[in-house]
Amino acid sequence: MMKMVLLLFCLATALTFKVSESKSAVSLQPHALESFDVGYIQMKGAENCSYLVMITTSCSSPKFTTDKISIAFGDASGNQVYAARLDDPKSGTFEQCSSDSFQLDGPCASPICFAYLYRSGSTDNKGWEPESVKIYGYNSDAVTFTFNSSIPSDTWYGYNYCDTPSPPSSSIQLSIQKWVLFVMFLGSVFSVWM
């Protein structure tokens, strides 16, 4: 009877731990950067890589934009790629409900964990509105940053996942490791009792 109570207690503790762990997951939204020194960005490194950047403009965005659009992205090791100007109103970039692709070269960044957009131009509340930015990079999986909001004028705006405690893929692996350790612990407890 005592063994059964201990087993139930251990299972309840493990389940409670799993629920509390999932509630503490970090959910980041795009945000404005207070300062971003473009001069610090590495424009050319010893080794350069090519990136395909796909930017989808929201259907909530104005039909077209004359705003100047820039992008900066990179990894936690300080490898950063910067494109000063992606827009070209004459070619129809960043039109409402469209996707635009850009081939960019820069330092080899892997995995890409931050991306910021910069919009300069219209100061009204309804400027260009990106839906998402998807970056296909060197030696890493493609990463998507979802915006679905207007970019404030004259501000770097986006995501930085570089400082998050653990990305989603590693949290699943960590949970499996915890369960394995838990089962090993139970096995050792039962072996002592038997």
Side-chain angles (χ1 to χ4, degrees), residues 99-162:
S99 291
D100 297 289
S101 299
F102 305 92
Q103 186 76 37
L104 302 177
D105 293 320
C108 298
S110 180
I112 295 166
C113 57
F114 76 85
Y116 288 97
L117 294 170
Y118 187 88
R119 180 182 71 85
S120 177
S122 161
T123 56
D124 64 2
N125 289 340
K126 191 58 180 162
W128 173 68
E129 185 176 322
E131 181 177 297
S132 64
V133 174
K134 189 168 190 172
I135 304 168
Y136 297 86
Y138 158 78
N139 199 23
S140 67
D141 294 333
V143 61
T144 301
F145 300 92
T146 303
F147 286 82
N148 285 324
S149 62
S150 292
I151 304 295
S153 185
D154 301 316
T155 303
W156 284 103
Y157 189 77
Y159 291 90
N160 185 348
Y161 292 133
C162 299

Side-chain angles (χ1 to χ4, degrees), residues 57 130 185:
T57 299
F185 169 75

Side-chain angles (χ1 to χ4, degrees), residues 63-119:
K63 288 186 185 257
F64 66 93
T65 186
T66 57
D67 295 342
K68 298 171 185 150
I69 308 297
S70 304
I71 189 170
F73 61 89
D75 64 15
S77 299
N79 297 304
Q80 302 173 41
V81 179
Y82 169 68
R85 193 123 184 230
L86 298 174
D87 58 285
D88 182 6
K90 294 175 187 170
S91 69
T93 54
F94 305 124
E95 289 183 343
Q96 184 182 57
C97 301
S98 68
S99 291
D100 297 289
S101 299
F102 305 92
Q103 186 76 37
L104 302 177
D105 293 320
C108 298
S110 180
I112 295 166
C113 57
F114 76 85
Y116 288 97
L117 294 170
Y118 187 88
R119 180 182 71 85

Side-chain angles (χ1 to χ4, degrees), residues 40 103 137 179:
Y40 170 73
Q103 186 76 37
W179 275 104

